[in-house]
Amino acid sequence: MKVALGQFVISSEWQSNAETCQILMARAVQAGAELLILPEACMAQDGSDADGVLRLAQPLDGPFVSQLLTASRGSTLTTIAGMHTPSGDGLVYNVLVVVRDGRLIAHYNKLHLYDAWEMKESKNVKPGSEVPPLLEVAGFNVGLMTCYDLRFPDMARRLVMDGADVLVVPSAWVKGPLKEKHWEVLATARALENTSYLIGVSACGGRNIGNSLVIDPMGMAIAHAAEEPALIFAELDKTRLAQVRHALPVLENQRFARPQLRNEQDA
């Protein structure tokens, strides 16, 4: 499967970001990609206004998603992009949307909110309550995670135990001391400990690091962007995946049960 990673500087104007997304979608199609991953919250982001997500949010049937759906028609490309949607109680969800051939085929409300490094995402964002469903793309099972989710190994392991071959992590990874190192170490660890591919795409510019990457099941980086806007590509190989899982059968050898959300355990 050929995958495309599109990192860009997210503005506070959704129309400008939607145009960028559509350009990247067209370039990915032209290059023969089957999966395009765009950053977290790429619909709109205002780093100068902590409460801006409340003002910028749109429903799933709003104009941003509508433009992505229109751009996706007539193509087999699967596109994953981030946005905020109203939760109905004065807060918003941090959402990944998945579009293909004019249809919204899935969405995921971010589970782990970024209440760290003196930031408090939960002030305005409501956490999701469900593990995201797996997506089938070109014969691969794809599991969705968002940014801060990368720091929680149980989530990655749950998705892989559910059948994921690929972990996709759209992000707006915030700059800070050693943060680029954290991004690379965590992405590598999640791929290697689960013998899965991992695709991490971060916004760039301003407060975000860029550095989008693809890690293979043996923990090797097979594609890596720098800090500027970019569209990069990588090939994922089912044979490589099978070979690594045969040589390093950690999923067969594990002794722990399948991780569950707390609300799943209570149900």
Side-chain angles (χ1 to χ4, degrees):
M1 173 170 65
K2 187 171 186 176
V3 299
L5 293 70
Q7 67 178 40
F8 62 95
V9 180
I10 303 169
S11 81
S12 60
E13 300 296 328
W14 75 264
Q15 296 94 332
S16 174
N17 298 322
E19 182 179 354
T20 299
C21 292
Q22 291 171 78
I23 291 170
L24 292 171
M25 291 168 73
R27 290 177 60 191
V29 169
Q30 186 176 28
E34 293 157 294
L35 176 63
L36 168 65
I37 303 96
L38 300 171
E40 174 190 21
C42 68
M43 181 188 75
Q45 180 174 285
D46 188 350
S48 66
D49 181 5
D51 299 324
V53 291
L54 303 177
R55 168 175 51 86
L56 298 170
Q58 293 185 16
L60 291 175
D61 60 357
F64 176 74
V65 173
S66 295
Q67 288 198 16
L68 296 189
L69 293 176
T70 298
S72 72
R73 288 195 182 106
S75 168
T76 59
L77 177 72
T78 300
T79 299
I80 302 171
M83 65 182 296
H84 288 94
T85 66
S87 65
D89 54 5
L91 299 176
V92 297
Y93 288 118
N94 185 335
V95 184
L96 297 182
V97 294
V98 186
V99 302
R100 182 194 298 153
D101 193 15
R103 295 182 299 116
L104 177 64
I105 64 172
H107 70 277
Y108 159 58
N109 296 335
K110 184 179 181 183
L111 284 172
H112 298 100
L113 302 183
Y114 188 59
D115 290 359
W117 275 284
E118 299 183 354
M119 298 182 70
K120 196 169 183 64
E121 187 177 14
S122 64
K123 177 185 176 185
N124 294 312
V125 180
K126 184 174 181 177
S129 59
E130 296 181 356
V131 176
L134 298 184
L135 310 171
E136 193 281 323
V137 183
F140 285 81
N141 290 323
V142 177
L144 300 176
M145 302 169 67
T146 305
C147 201
Y148 195 48
D149 285 337
L150 186 63
R151 293 187 181 272
F152 298 86
D154 281 354
M155 182 168 180
R157 179 51 59 94
R158 165 62 182 269
L159 291 169
V160 171
M161 291 186 74
D162 285 350
D165 308 307
V166 184
L167 300 171
V168 169
V169 193
S171 304
W173 203 263
V174 179
K175 293 177 180 176
L178 298 177
K179 292 294 292 300
E180 287 90 347
K181 184 68 172 179
H182 291 189
W183 171 249
E184 295 182 6
V185 168
L186 290 164
T188 302
R190 297 296 87 83
L192 180 56
E193 70 195 2
N194 291 296
T195 55
S196 68
Y197 284 99
L198 186 139
I199 305 170
V201 178
S202 176
C204 61
R207 65 176 188 168
N208 300 127
I209 67 168
N211 284 268
S212 299
L213 45 71
V214 181
I215 309 294
D216 89 344
M218 196 62 89
M220 301 300 296
I222 59 174
H224 203 306
E227 79 282 5
E228 297 292 332
L231 179 65
I232 63 172
F233 299 91
E235 293 279 353
L236 310 191
D237 186 347
K238 288 293 285 279
T239 300
R240 171 68 167 168
L241 183 71
Q243 288 173 340
V244 172
R245 289 184 171 180
H246 175 75
L248 185 61
V250 291
L251 301 177
E252 295 179 18
N253 295 342
Q254 67 183 337
R255 300 289 301 278
F256 285 86
R258 174 173 171 264
Q260 289 183 292
L261 283 175
R262 290 173 187 167
N263 60 297
E264 287 182 315
Q265 295 170 342
D266 297 338

